C-alpha cells in the first residue's frame, strides 16, 4: 500500500524522485517474489520436510489456551478434506498421549467420537491430501501469479515511461 501511495503521489505531482522511488521499490518487490518462487521450486523437498515437521509441532498446540485459530484451522481442514493428522491419525496419539483423535477426524461427527476405535476415523493424511488439492488447483495459482507479475511489470513500465517524460519535459522547459 505504501509503495502504491508513493507511485500515485509521484504520478499526480509528476515528481521525478517519487516516480523513480516507486520504480525501484516495485522492482525490488518483483525481484524478491521471483527469487522466492525460484527457491521454492529448487528446494521443494526440503520445504516438504520442514513443513511436515512444523505441522506436527503445531499439533501439540491444538486445543490449548490462546490457539483458537490454530484449533479451528485443524478442525476445518480435517473435516473438509476428510483427513486426520499430518502423516496419519497416529500423529494425534503423541499429542493426547493416548489412542484418541480430535472429533474432527471422525467419519460420522458426534461428541467424543475421537475416543472410539480407529475404524471410525479418517485414514488419509492431511498433508498429502491438501498437497494434492493444491496440485489439482495449480493452474489457478499459476494464473494468479502471472496476473500479479503482469500488473507489476505494467506498473514498472508506466512508472519509467512517466519518469522519462517528466525528465524530457524538464529538459525542454529549462
Amino acid at each position: 500500500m505504501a509503495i502504491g501511495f508513493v507511485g500515485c503521489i509521484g504520478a499526480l505531482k509528476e515528481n521525478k524522485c517519487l516516480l523513480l522511488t516507486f520504480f525501484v521499490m516495485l522492482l525490488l518487490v518483483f525481484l524478491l517474489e521471483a527469487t522466492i518462487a525460484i527457491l521454492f521450486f529448487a528446494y521443494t523437498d526440503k520445504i516438504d520436510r520442514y513443513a511436515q515437521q512444523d505441522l506436527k509441532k503445531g499439533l501439540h498446540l491444538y486445543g490449548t489456551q490462546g490457539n483458537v485459530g490454530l484449533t479451528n484451522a485443524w478442525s476445518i481442514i480435517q473435516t473438509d478434506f476428510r483427513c486426520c493428522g499430518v502423516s496419519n491419525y497416529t500423529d494425534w496419539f503423541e499429542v493426547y498421549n493416548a489412542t484418541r483423535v480430535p472429533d474432527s477426524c471422525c467419519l460420522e461427527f458426534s461428541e467424543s467420537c475421537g475416543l472410539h476405535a480407529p475404524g471410525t476415523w479418517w485414514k488419509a493424511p492431511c498433508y498429502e491430501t491438501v498437497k494434492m488439492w493444491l496440485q489439482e488447483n495449480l493452474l489457478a495459482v499459476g494464473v494468479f501469479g502471472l496476473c500479479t507479475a503482469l500488473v507489476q511489470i505494467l506498473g514498472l513500465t508506466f512508472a519509467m515511461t512517466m519518469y522519462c517524460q517528466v525528465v524530457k519535459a524538464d529538459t525542454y522547459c529549462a
Side-chain angles (χ1 to χ4, degrees):
M1 197 165 81
I3 295 172
F5 181 73
V6 168
C8 186
I9 297 300
L12 287 173
K13 298 289 184 182
E14 294 184 357
N15 184 303
K16 291 186 292 188
C17 180
L18 289 176
L19 285 169
L20 196 57
T21 301
F22 172 72
F23 177 83
V24 169
M25 290 189 324
L26 191 57
L27 181 63
L28 288 173
V29 168
F30 180 76
L31 291 174
L32 183 66
E33 290 171 347
T35 302
I36 289 171
I38 290 168
L39 290 173
F40 177 78
F41 287 111
Y43 293 102
T44 303
D45 293 337
K46 282 187 178 182
I47 292 170
D48 257 1
R49 282 195 305 274
Y50 289 134
Q52 287 185 41
Q53 290 170 357
D54 285 348
L55 287 170
K56 284 183 181 181
K57 287 178 188 172
L59 288 180
H60 292 280
L61 300 174
Y62 183 87
T64 59
Q65 186 74 24
N67 289 304
V68 176
L70 182 126
T71 301
N72 288 341
W74 268 112
S75 295
I76 290 168
I77 287 171
Q78 291 181 143
T79 303
D80 289 354
F81 286 98
R82 299 176 176 203
C83 59
C84 190
V86 178
S87 301
N88 59 33
Y89 62 86
T90 59
D91 294 338
W92 289 106
F93 296 174
E94 298 170 27
V95 175
Y96 289 117
N97 291 323
T99 306
R100 72 169 293 212
V101 296
D103 293 341
S104 58
C105 279
C106 298
L107 297 169
E108 296 281 329
F109 182 82
S110 65
E111 199 65 35
S112 299
C113 64
L115 296 170
H116 301 154
T120 62
W121 305 330
W122 298 115
K123 302 284 188 274
C126 288
Y127 186 81
E128 291 300 321
T129 306
V130 172
K131 191 174 167 184
M132 289 296 294
W133 181 84
L134 284 172
Q135 287 174 345
E136 289 169 3
N137 293 290
L138 196 58
L139 179 63
V141 173
V143 167
F144 176 77
L146 288 175
C147 288
T148 303
L150 179 66
V151 168
Q152 288 176 334
I153 290 169
L154 286 173
L156 288 167
T157 304
F158 292 143
M160 188 49 71
T161 301
M162 188 165 194
Y163 174 79
C164 291
Q165 291 298 320
V166 170
V167 168
K168 192 183 285 185
D170 284 351
T171 305
Y172 288 126
C173 293

